[in-house]
Amino acid sequence: MAFSADELRVLRRALAIALHPTPLPDEDVQECLRLAGAVDEAVGEAGRLRTFLLADLVRYRNALPGSVSGYLELLQDALAGGYDPRPDDLAALRALRHRPVAAALLERCQVLAERSVRARLAGRTAPSAAPAPRSRLLALPGGRAADAEPERPKTPAAPPRPAPPSERPAPKPSEVFPPRRPVPPPQQRAAG
């Protein structure tokens, strides 16, 4: 996740306030809330992209053997992102194990699948396909809530203003996930 210079300034200030709580001006509270909203939106977008990539992986797996190279590349990307290989992936890799890349992926997936099974048997949950939801930012220490008197009835807060469209646009997937660089097979690497 990348932050703009302005977002980093707000984040730095929010972290400083978290370490040394002081009353905040309304403008600072609104900036922190906007930043929290932007982070929530980025997390949601990452979840949607992950869902799309996993659906793409399933499509490539269903189109095997004609989509071998695309499937193996997508599986490597998914594993790098924390994907827990499914039994269908292991079966597909077993059918393709005559290819060196597929054989190496099969070994890696078997290790990951074994860890996942052991974790489930031990009572822990395995990594899921969807990212865990992040809790919403409810209050900032030293913000408007610190200035409020307990006797006054609380009025509902005004909804945050939508960010003007002239601010930083949402990043493209190619900016968030740079293209993979090909790695030469082990036998072609030079020593030293």
Side-chain angles (χ1 to χ4, degrees):
M1 181 179 297
F3 291 103
S4 70
D6 190 45
E7 290 171 331
L8 281 176
R9 179 184 54 79
V10 172
L11 184 61
R12 220 178 269 130
R13 195 168 4 148
L15 291 173
I17 291 166
L19 292 174
H20 306 287
T22 59
L24 291 177
D26 285 345
E27 181 182 314
D28 288 350
V29 172
Q30 291 302 320
E31 285 181 348
C32 289
L33 291 173
R34 276 195 296 275
L35 180 62
V39 169
D40 285 341
E41 184 179 329
V43 168
E45 186 63 31
R48 286 189 293 277
L49 180 61
R50 180 174 171 80
T51 301
F52 172 79
L53 292 175
L54 293 180
D56 214 18
L57 179 67
V58 169
R59 282 191 293 275
Y60 273 78
R61 183 176 58 228
N62 291 338
L64 286 174
S67 62
V68 172
S69 61
Y71 172 70
L72 295 176
E73 186 176 324
L74 281 173
L75 184 59
Q76 286 175 339
D77 289 344
L79 291 173
Y83 174 69
D84 193 19
R86 308 289 188 258
D88 293 341
D89 295 313
L90 295 172
L93 289 172
R94 283 187 192 105
L96 300 170
R97 67 177 156 225
H98 61 280
R99 295 174 176 260
V101 175
L105 272 174
L106 176 61
E107 288 178 27
R108 183 176 173 196
C109 286
Q110 285 174 331
V111 168
L112 292 173
E114 184 176 330
R115 276 189 207 150
S116 175
V117 168
R118 288 179 191 268
R120 275 186 253 139
L121 290 175
R124 294 177 293 183
T125 59
S128 63
R134 189 174 73 83
S135 62
R136 301 280 306 164
L137 179 64
L138 299 176
L140 294 172
R144 285 183 289 194
D147 295 335
E149 296 176 14
E151 296 86 49
R152 285 188 342 202
K154 293 186 179 183
T155 59
R161 293 177 289 155
S166 62
E167 288 187 17
R168 188 180 71 124
K172 298 178 205 170
S174 62
E175 295 170 344
V176 177
F177 301 101
R180 292 187 35 181
R181 293 191 176 101
V183 178
Q187 63 269 26
Q188 292 180 356
R189 290 185 186 159

